[in-house]
């Protein structure tokens, strides 16, 4: 469902038209082709977070997410990689037309170790977990470590080289299947380190990027909510439809809350680009996760089985969204915000 939204730019409209021409991705290769098409058409050039256009950036992510969450996952990661490199003052970037992913998951038994060579040039060895789009992207920006435990560093890696092997095993996802977020093995692969140890995590932009994911969850929720709204608009056909209006009321509240927090967070980030946005971002993510949970529950209860079985777009979104929101930090995030409030940061409770 591609409706022109308030505040939509010409690029947004062009992006949605291009995606609509492809239709929903059937597999990881087609999701990657859609990212590639967006890149080739220069539709990946979003406002840098915290530069005055944060809300516009999030609107774009949300709109792509309303179309399809796997494509949004690849698009968000690619545009995040470009923003990170700008943030770190990397003047080289990726070659024109590259498609890249940010692979920063740190799983205890999957760590990539670098041996330093000349200047920023390194070789990478080890396994990286959760590498969305690995089989089809041209480049990755990924966290790596020195053998002595120093890190994480960020490394740019060209994926079409001998020392890189993308696993074909272990990915049995149904929701978010088209991201194919598999393990990647590195054996003396060449890479280039950007910045110093922990630069990636210490940037204020780390948190700005994290809030962009919440905008994707919001876009997915919006897609499901639109289905409920469409049905609630239809004549009742003899029966009561009060229960659908009640569900829509609850969905409206969830979306209104999440949207308000996203809007105010974007304004705050633009006003204080260098400030610590960690607690704010976690709030935004928790709120978007709660919103998605509520929308999933209310739309399912109000609409019954029909859209899950007859509306392909709804069914895919309802399968993808619960998986994508599992990228939330869950209780760990709640704990971090609770801790910051306990130690005095409760200014945002004030009216
Ligand atoms: C579809 C998909 C695509 C992805 N693509 C990428 C990608 O391209 N790049 C990338 O870097 N990462 C990616 N990830 C990985 C993701 O960001 C996480 O790193 C990954 O899901 C593992 O983190 P986790 O918190 O789920 O795991 P775990 O740390 O195993 O946690 C599992 C659950 O336990 C909870 N938990 C853990 N510790 C505590 C605690 N102390 N107290 C309370 N609760 C706790 C967590 O909140 C979580 O809900 C992807 C994930 C998904 C689902």
């Amino acid at each position: 469902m591609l409706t022109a939204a308030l505040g939509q730019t010409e690029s947004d409209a062009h992006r949605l038209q291009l995606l609509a021409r492809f239709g929903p991705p059937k597999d990881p290769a087609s999701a990657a082709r859609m990212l590639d098409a967006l890149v080739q058409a220069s539709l990946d050039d979003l406002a840098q977070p915290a530069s005055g256009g944060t809300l516009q950036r999030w609107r774009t992510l949300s709109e792509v997410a309303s179309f399809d969450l796997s494509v949004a996952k690849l698009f968000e990661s690619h545009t995040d990689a470009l923003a990170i490199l700008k943030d770190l003052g990397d003047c080289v970037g990726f070659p024109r037309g590259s498609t890249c992913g940010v692979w920063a998951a740190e799983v205890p038994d999957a760590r990539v170790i670098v041996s330093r060579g000349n200047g920023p040039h390194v070789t990478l060895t080890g396994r990286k977990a959760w590498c969305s789009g690995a089989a089809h992207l041209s480049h990755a920006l990924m966290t790596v470590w020195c053998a002595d435990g120093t890190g994480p560093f960020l490394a740019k890696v060209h994926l079409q080289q001998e020392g890189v092997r993308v696993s074909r095993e272990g990915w049995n996802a149904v929701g978010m299947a088209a991201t194919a977020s598999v393990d990647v093995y590195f054996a003396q692969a060449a890479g280039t380190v950007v910045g110093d140890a922990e630069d990636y995590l210490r940037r204020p932009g780390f948190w700005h990027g994290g809030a962009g994911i919440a905008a994707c969850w919001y876009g997915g929720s919006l897609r499901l909510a639109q289905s409920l709204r469409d049905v609630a608009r239809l004549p009742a056909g003899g029966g009561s439809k009060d229960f659908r209006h009640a569900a829509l009321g609850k969905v409206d509240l969830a979306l209104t809350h999440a949207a308000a927090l996203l809007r105010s967070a974007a304004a705050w980030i633009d006003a204080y680009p260098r400030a610590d946005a960690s607690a704010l971002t976690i709030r935004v993510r928790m709120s978007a996760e709660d919103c998605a949970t509520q929308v999933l529950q209310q739309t399912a209860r109000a609409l019954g089985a029909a859209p899950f079985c007859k509306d392909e777009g709804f069914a895919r979104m309802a399968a993808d969204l619960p998986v994508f929101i599992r990228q939330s930090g869950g209780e760990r995030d709640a704990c971090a915000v609770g801790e910051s409030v306990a130690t005095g940061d409760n200014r945002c409770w004030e009216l």
Side-chain angles (χ1 to χ4, degrees):
M1 189 174 315
L2 301 171
T3 47
L6 208 65
Q8 197 182 57
T9 64
E10 211 173 297
S11 296
D12 287 332
H14 187 184
R15 203 176 285 109
L16 292 180
Q17 281 161 10
L18 188 147
L19 291 173
R21 275 206 298 277
F22 275 89
K26 297 285 178 218
D27 50 31
S30 54
R33 270 199 299 276
M34 291 163 82
L35 173 64
D36 197 46
L38 291 172
V39 171
Q40 299 310 324
S42 301
L43 292 168
D44 58 336
D45 186 14
L46 306 189
Q48 183 76 356
S51 68
T54 303
L55 186 60
Q56 185 51 51
R57 182 183 179 92
W58 293 353
R59 273 193 194 130
T60 300
L61 293 175
S62 162
E63 285 186 0
V64 175
S66 282
F67 173 76
D68 182 82
L69 285 183
S70 288
V71 175
K73 168 74 196 140
L74 299 184
F75 183 69
E76 180 279 325
S77 191
H78 169 86
T79 51
D80 193 34
L82 302 184
I84 292 168
L85 288 184
K86 257 195 206 161
D87 234 6
L88 292 177
D90 177 270
C91 310
V92 184
F94 291 107
R96 209 177 155 72
S98 304
T99 52
C100 23
V102 178
W103 300 342
E106 293 296 342
V107 176
D109 63 341
R111 182 171 266 201
V112 174
I113 304 296
V114 288
S115 310
R116 296 208 81 136
N118 272 343
H121 301 295
V122 291
T123 56
L124 293 78
T125 302
R127 176 170 65 95
K128 193 75 180 163
W130 295 105
C131 302
S132 285
H136 303 282
L137 299 178
S138 66
H139 288 78
L141 186 60
M142 54 186 275
T143 50
V144 296
W145 298 77
C146 285
D148 65 3
T150 326
F153 295 85
L154 270 187
K156 290 191 278 187
V157 184
H158 185 216
L159 298 170
Q160 270 75 54
Q161 60 168 303
E162 225 172 66
V164 176
R165 182 172 71 81
V166 177
S167 169
R168 291 171 185 273
E169 285 98 48
W171 184 249
N172 300 309
V174 176
M176 301 298 282
T179 65
S181 308
V182 292
D183 288 356
V184 177
Y185 293 85
F186 298 87
Q188 297 287 308
T192 312
V193 163
V194 183
D196 220 329
E198 293 189 43
D199 275 0
Y200 165 63
L201 302 172
R202 285 193 185 138
R203 301 165 304 130
F206 174 77
W207 295 102
H208 307 156
I213 300 203
C216 295
W217 301 342
Y218 180 79
S221 305
L222 214 53
R223 164 66 182 86
L224 296 176
Q226 277 164 348
S227 286
L228 176 58
R229 185 163 178 249
D230 289 346
V231 173
R233 279 173 158 175
L234 298 174
S240 161
K241 59 173 184 170
D242 285 352
F243 71 98
R244 287 201 173 122
H245 285 157
L248 190 55
K250 291 175 195 172
V251 161
D252 169 73
L253 185 63
L255 289 168
T256 307
H257 276 164
L261 202 49
L262 277 160
R263 278 188 221 109
S264 70
W268 191 90
I269 286 170
D270 284 341
Y272 305 100
R274 304 301 305 162
D276 174 10
S278 56
L280 177 67
T281 294
I282 294 174
R283 283 188 191 102
V284 166
R285 287 172 63 111
M286 285 170 65
S287 141
E289 181 192 354
D290 276 357
C291 170
T293 306
Q294 172 78 325
V295 170
L296 280 160
Q297 189 188 19
Q298 293 301 328
T299 50
R301 289 174 71 102
L303 298 176
F308 288 94
C309 304
K310 297 178 181 180
D311 176 346
E312 194 192 340
F314 181 98
R316 192 178 35 256
M317 188 59 78
D320 286 345
L321 190 55
V323 179
F324 200 175
I325 60 173
R326 295 283 34 89
Q327 278 207 263
S328 110
E331 292 305 300
R332 272 177 302 198
D333 280 357
C335 184
V337 170
E339 222 175 87
S340 91
V341 170
T343 54
D345 178 15
N346 64 347
R347 275 162 300 167
C348 60
W349 291 7
E350 289 163 19
L351 288 180

